[in-house]
Amino acid sequence: MKKFSVLYLSVLLFLTAIKSYSENDPYAIELERIYIPGSPAIHSFAFAESNGKWLFVGGRTNGLHGFNPGDAFPKQYSNKNIFVVNPNTLETFSKNIFSDCSYTTADPLRSTNMQYFQDGNKLYMIGGYGYDSASNSLVTFPVLTVIDVNEMMNAIITGASISPYIRQLTDSRLQVSGGELQKLGDYFYLAGGHNFTGTYTRTVNNQIYTDKIQKFKIIDNGISVSLSDYSAWTDTVEFHRRDMNLVPAIKPDGVTPYMILYGGVFKRNADLPFLNPINIDENGPYIDHSFEQKMSQYTCSYLSAFNSNTGSMHTTFLGGTSLYYYNEFTHMLQYDSLVPFIDDITTLTKNSSGVSDEKISVTRLPALLGTNAKFILNGSIPQFGNKVIKLNEISGRTFAGIIYGGIRAILPNNTPSFPSDYILKVYITPKTVSVNHIGNTIPTKYELAQNYPNPFNPDTKIKFSIPFSSFVRLTIFDELGREVTKLVENNLDAGVYELDWDGSGFTSGVYYYKLESDSFSETKKMFLLK
């Protein structure tokens, strides 16, 4: 057991970006670098947390894998330690997995790109690619490992044996690496991935994609583990993915959880990433052909936030690798089929009508970071059960979480790379609609003016009058009468008000805006033309 006790330092990054952000962004993003010397520089690991402490299992301690059999995945760079990091006391503890466990148990724990999910005090880890001592070769392990998180952490901190807190199941259906694991209701969903056997080479097809999204229950009684209620959806084209992001999401009703699978590599007939998202709910997966994701298609750190006032679901991707990057000289997106490392931060928004758009933040990462990193959500921030931030329940500058680990590259392509030693706090400041009180005359009646300009692209102004202090709503509806956003929902003093509505995230067409109070209701039509 190793213990490190360290001092804390912090550096504020991007000071000019704190108060400057696109008017179209749902929130401003601010980054702050912190240091916890002694904490592991790793990537592609499994992660769990409890009582403010972090648990890291597996992963690699070098950078991007090589592309020749001799330097692709050397076993000396597999992480053989389980780490516990306490960011509050600035202590790091570790224990070698082979000190208490047999090779059969320990080998899967030092693999890379495991699929993992924490549910309460249990960390579920599936598959992973790494060195198998029995066969003296690199394999994808057909193993499910369950770890008791609190007990494991305590054992590592105190130097006790870790083996009593590990249970494993061998099942060939779980011989997967590079997929994603999430839980919805009582079921686990294992999306994509592949069975990777042997050393990496461009000329040998030793990566067999699952082409599946698998669904099952995990039964764990603390002694043994089993699977039940197994089923799977197969699509040899759209599910031919690995190294993507399967993000938790909330439906526009503000209650129902689901998942969105963004990105992934590689297409069956081209070394290019996937652009169409896949939505997954309890009824199964369905592909969104109406939207193509331009940025951050490879596994990276991300945060998810839902605004119940507008029904909009936001996913912010923090760096990674990307088919496009933002060219600071041309101020345009630049296509690069080599899928380079980027420092861009982008937010995908899916509004209540199902329309998605993608925006680039003016805040950038301090280096080419984010690939195979982890965003650790602040446990105190308002959130849904699936760790989606409740955006409408926070105001002002709010600590959202921490970017940890991943790969740091020197140049976008063909570059040396290393395990990242950057630990970044992420703060978000939600954008609020500015309702301006104009004029000093108190109106004698409620009135809703026609928006101007009309037609508009993409901004328009809406003006209204209130004769006395009252609770009012101003809501936007689409042509079918579906609510797409709520601009005002609070008490206002008597007066004349004006606000701007940005329609850049919406499709062209007819929209209606409605002003309501206890004693008044009026609706007007407007036209968004792009």
Side-chain angles (χ1 to χ4, degrees):
M1 184 268 294
K2 299 177 183 177
K3 175 181 176 180
F4 302 90
S5 182
V6 300
L7 298 176
Y8 177 94
L9 301 171
S10 87
V11 178
L12 192 63
L13 304 175
F14 304 116
L15 293 176
T16 59
I18 295 172
K19 297 180 180 179
S20 172
Y21 61 100
S22 168
E23 289 299 317
N24 297 329
D25 290 344
Y27 34 78
I29 297 172
E30 175 189 345
L31 303 175
E32 177 188 358
R33 187 175 183 181
I34 65 173
Y35 295 85
I36 310 178
S39 60
I42 55 175
H43 65 86
S44 309
F45 47 79
F47 173 83
E49 58 186 318
S50 179
N51 298 319
K53 297 188 289 291
W54 303 336
L55 182 73
F56 298 93
V57 183
R60 302 203 305 278
T61 61
N62 59 343
L64 177 68
H65 66 80
F67 294 91
N68 299 302
D71 64 4
F73 293 93
K75 66 179 181 180
Q76 64 266 31
Y77 293 115
S78 61
N79 172 34
K80 304 176 185 67
N81 294 303
I82 298 181
F83 290 92
V84 175
V85 176
N86 189 330
N88 299 309
T89 63
L90 306 176
E91 294 176 298
T92 298
F93 306 86
S94 68
K95 191 165 192 179
N96 189 297
I97 55 176
F98 294 101
S99 62
D100 298 327
C101 303
S102 67
Y103 284 104
T104 302
T105 299
D107 280 339
L109 300 181
R110 62 167 165 171
S111 65
T112 186
N113 297 91
M114 289 179 279
Q115 296 81 195
Y116 71 92
F117 183 84
Q118 182 181 0
D119 188 14
N121 189 45
K122 296 179 181 180
L123 173 62
Y124 299 91
M125 301 180 295
I126 288 176
Y129 173 75
Y131 180 75
D132 176 53
S133 302
S135 63
N136 191 28
S137 62
L138 291 165
V139 303
T140 296
F141 293 95
V143 175
L144 163 65
T145 301
V146 184
I147 286 178
D148 298 319
V149 177
N150 280 322
E151 293 80 357
M152 174 68 73
M153 286 183 173
N154 290 333
I156 292 171
I157 291 171
T158 62
S161 174
I162 63 174
S163 61
Y165 312 115
I166 301 171
R167 296 174 295 284
Q168 291 182 323
L169 166 72
T170 299
D171 189 316
S172 61
R173 295 172 295 187
L174 306 182
Q175 194 167 13
V176 181
S177 177
E180 287 287 324
L181 185 67
Q182 286 278 352
K183 191 179 183 186
L184 191 62
D186 295 330
Y187 287 89
F188 288 85
Y189 290 76
L190 175 57
H194 61 165
N195 183 349
F196 186 7
T197 302
T199 55
Y200 183 93
T201 173
R202 296 172 186 263
T203 58
V204 176
N205 183 22
N206 59 348
Q207 302 180 49
I208 309 302
Y209 287 70
T210 70
D211 297 336
K212 291 179 180 179
I213 296 175
Q214 304 179 66
K215 177 182 177 182
F216 47 85
K217 292 180 180 178
I218 298 177
I219 311 301
D220 173 30
N221 60 12
I223 300 173
S224 61
V225 185
S226 61
L227 299 188
S228 69
D229 296 347
Y230 177 91
S231 62
W233 296 273
T234 300
D235 187 323
T236 58
V237 177
E238 291 293 345
F239 299 170
H240 189 77
R241 310 187 188 200
R242 60 173 172 87
D243 301 319
M244 58 281 196
N245 292 293
L246 181 60
V247 308
I250 298 293
K251 291 190 175 182
D253 62 11
V255 177
T256 308
Y258 74 113
M259 300 169 287
I260 308 175
L261 194 162
Y262 283 116
V265 295
F266 288 101
K267 292 186 176 181
R268 183 171 287 276
N269 298 315
D271 286 343
L272 295 171
F274 289 83
L275 307 182
N276 296 118
I278 301 174
N279 300 296
I280 306 171
D281 61 19
E282 292 181 341
N283 297 316
Y286 53 101
I287 301 156
D288 183 0
H289 290 289
S290 68
F291 175 73
E292 290 189 348
Q293 177 187 0
K294 297 293 190 293
M295 311 282 285
S296 299
Q297 293 89 3
Y298 197 87
T299 303
C300 65
S301 55
Y302 63 84
L303 68 88
S304 300
F306 178 81
N307 191 329
S308 61
N309 290 334
T310 63
S312 297
M313 182 65 225
H314 309 288
T315 304
T316 296
F317 294 102
L318 302 151
T321 66
S322 182
L323 188 61
Y324 292 81
Y325 65 92
Y326 181 71
N327 189 314
E328 295 182 83
F329 299 102
T330 65
H331 303 292
M332 300 286 289
L333 288 182
Q334 185 79 42
Y335 176 88
D336 188 339
S337 62
L338 295 179
V339 193
F341 292 98
I342 61 171
D343 59 4
D344 298 295
I345 296 175
T346 60
T347 297
L348 296 183
T349 296
K350 187 172 184 179
N351 67 31
S352 60
S353 64
V355 177
S356 297
D357 71 341
E358 187 171 15
K359 296 182 176 68
I360 302 173
S361 173
V362 297
T363 302
R364 305 175 80 92
L365 293 168
L368 300 172
L369 304 171
T371 299
N372 292 119
K374 171 68 178 178
F375 178 76
I376 304 171
L377 183 66
N378 172 17
S380 300
I381 198 170
Q383 60 189 268
F384 293 88
N386 61 351
K387 295 191 174 183
V388 173
I389 295 171
K390 295 181 176 180
L391 190 61
N392 59 299
E393 293 189 16
I394 63 175
S395 61
R397 179 177 179 268
T398 302
F399 170 49
I402 289 177
I403 304 171
Y404 190 97
I407 297 173
R408 177 172 65 90
I410 303 302
L411 297 171
N413 292 314
N414 302 316
T415 176
S417 61
F418 314 91
S420 175
D421 57 356
Y422 279 84
I423 306 174
L424 299 171
K425 279 189 170 182
V426 179
Y427 296 86
I428 60 175
T429 304
K431 176 185 174 184
T432 57
V433 176
S434 177
V435 183
N436 300 315
H437 194 171
I438 59 176
N440 298 316
T441 303
I442 296 178
T444 59
K445 62 178 181 179
Y446 284 102
E447 186 175 1
L448 180 63
Q450 185 64 51
N451 67 300
Y452 64 96
N454 189 39
F456 63 97
N457 177 26
D459 302 309
T460 190
K461 295 182 182 294
I462 299 174
K463 181 178 176 181
F464 59 93
S465 302
I466 301 172
F468 49 84
S469 179
S470 55
F471 184 85
V472 296
R473 293 185 184 88
L474 182 61
T475 311
I476 308 293
F477 300 90
D478 65 14
E479 191 171 14
L480 299 178
R482 298 175 297 193
E483 179 181 318
V484 297
T485 187
K486 193 177 270 86
L487 300 180
V488 179
E489 189 176 31
N490 58 299
N491 287 298
L492 294 179
D493 293 330
V496 180
Y497 293 85
E498 185 178 84
L499 56 80
D500 295 314
W501 183 54
D502 173 21
S504 62
F506 299 86
T507 58
S508 298
V510 175
Y511 290 86
Y512 298 91
Y513 58 104
K514 182 179 182 180
L515 181 67
E516 301 175 272
S517 75
D518 290 339
S519 59
F520 176 83
S521 178
E522 185 174 0
T523 302
K524 289 188 180 293
K525 181 189 293 187
M526 58 184 174
F527 300 89
L528 173 59
L529 297 179
K530 293 186 175 181

